[in-house]
Amino acid sequence: MHWSEFSRFAARIGHTLEAVDQAEDWMLEYFVWFLVAGAMKPGTLANYRASLSVIQGTAGQDVSRSTRSRDLQLERRDRHGRHRARTPQEFSDLLAAAQAFDSSVVHVIRLMRWLGLRMREALMCGKSLETWRDLILQGDRRLPVERGAKNGRPRRTEVLADHIDETLDAINAALAFCRDRDFELVSGCHDDLKSAKSRLKSRFEQLPMRRELASHSLRFTYAVDFANAALDRGVSPVDVLTQLSDRLGHGPSRMKMILEVYCWQIRHRFPEKIHLPSDFVPRKQTKDAALSATSHPEDRSASHEPANRRRRPARGRRFQTNHEGKRPRQKFF
């Protein structure tokens, strides 16, 4: 989706991209400023840049240097103080209010709270409920989250060890509710995902679920419970943050953000001065690591190409054909 928008933008400025590797740094930078001019929020803009960077990296190009927020002096998303974890009483009151208002919303709220799901993930997880139930009954606490995952990145959440019964009950109740509704927990007026999401947001506003206790507070509640339980078991603080970052779908390298954002209420449980691996300067990857499609994503984050490498201009190549004996370009579509 993000690449399609970028390629349409490139066509508007006179550069029809027939292959991914025809995109140049200046095009990506112009596209970023085009999105900024359209008043795109910093968090959404970061998602766009990350998607394009992954696509270009897969094609063998490193665009991380040309589209970094710091270099472009872009506004950073302020996540601090926006949400907090709910107390058990606040969560009980929320469920009671939702039950009296709209029973379908109750299932979404319970799944978000006990599995740390994003709103979109909970909204689209109906067809995964049976798989989750079977995994839990088999003793597996790691559950795959594939539908609705942010930027299409599948992840695996984890059932809280002290709340397995509550989680299983929430999954069974949601499954019984949506089984005869084509596995849809919330349905919109136009029978599509967009209208279903709009209806769910409207219900959240009416409950009310706003500001520090908006829907994302349910993920904060999951995060605080996960971190507290892990620390109580004697897991090292760095490992706790690594695991929590992975379970929340941010990958294993966003530990500093997890500590400052999701765990700000229990910051006192972590060392005052904690040296996190994410604070280190990333090491340079080798050519093989950058090109390997089967290597770990962290090993492919940097490119083997030098920063000052100039690419051939896209203009003038748009109508080139592949001659006999030459390797054809890799098409995106």
Side-chain angles (χ1 to χ4, degrees), residues 41 48 61 85 118 180 196 202 211 250 268 273 316:
K41 295 182 179 179
Y48 271 72
Q61 295 177 329
R118 299 180 177 94
D180 298 329
S202 176
R211 298 178 182 176
H250 291 286
H268 60 278
K273 294 183 179 180

Side-chain angles (χ1 to χ4, degrees), residues 12-33:
R12 289 175 62 182
I13 61 176
H15 294 267
T16 302
L17 302 177
E18 296 182 353
V20 175
D21 60 3
Q22 291 181 352
E24 299 189 34
D25 292 355
W26 68 268
M27 297 180 188
L28 295 165
E29 183 176 346
Y30 276 34
F31 181 59
V32 169
W33 288 117

Side-chain angles (χ1 to χ4, degrees), residues 35 50 87 109 123 125 130 213 216 221 243 246 270 282 300 302 310 324:
L35 298 177
T87 65
I109 291 175
L123 186 62
C125 74
E130 286 185 315
L213 290 180
H216 218 60
T221 309
Q243 294 175 19
D246 177 69
F270 294 86
R300 292 186 277 113
R310 295 177 61 87
E324 184 177 358

Side-chain angles (χ1 to χ4, degrees), residues 256-296:
K256 187 174 181 179
M257 184 274 290
I258 295 297
L259 176 62
E260 296 177 350
V261 177
Y262 285 93
C263 296
W264 68 269
Q265 290 175 271
I266 56 172
R267 182 63 178 83
H268 60 278
R269 298 206 61 183
F270 294 86
E272 183 176 354
K273 294 183 179 180
I274 180 171
H275 201 43
L276 300 175
S278 58
D279 293 334
F280 298 163
V281 177
R283 62 180 177 86
K284 294 182 179 180
Q285 271 71 32
T286 62
K287 180 176 180 180
D288 293 339
L291 292 177
S292 175
T294 58
S295 60
H296 194 277

Side-chain angles (χ1 to χ4, degrees), residues 77-126:
R77 179 184 180 186
D78 182 15
R79 306 174 62 113
H80 298 275
R82 293 292 184 92
H83 303 97
R84 66 170 175 83
R86 289 176 177 266
T87 65
Q89 185 60 48
E90 287 174 336
F91 180 65
S92 298
D93 294 342
L94 175 63
L95 286 180
Q99 186 65 53
F101 182 63
D102 188 339
S103 59
S104 64
V105 180
V106 174
H107 304 293
V108 175
I109 291 175
R110 294 177 72 187
L111 292 171
M112 291 179 67
R113 190 266 179 262
W114 295 120
L115 292 174
L117 303 180
R118 299 180 177 94
M119 180 176 66
R120 182 185 176 93
E121 293 171 342
L123 186 62
M124 299 178 63
C125 74

Side-chain angles (χ1 to χ4, degrees), residues 163-174:
H163 300 285
I164 296 178
D165 292 339
E166 292 93 330
T167 305
L168 188 59
D169 183 63
I171 292 175
N172 285 329

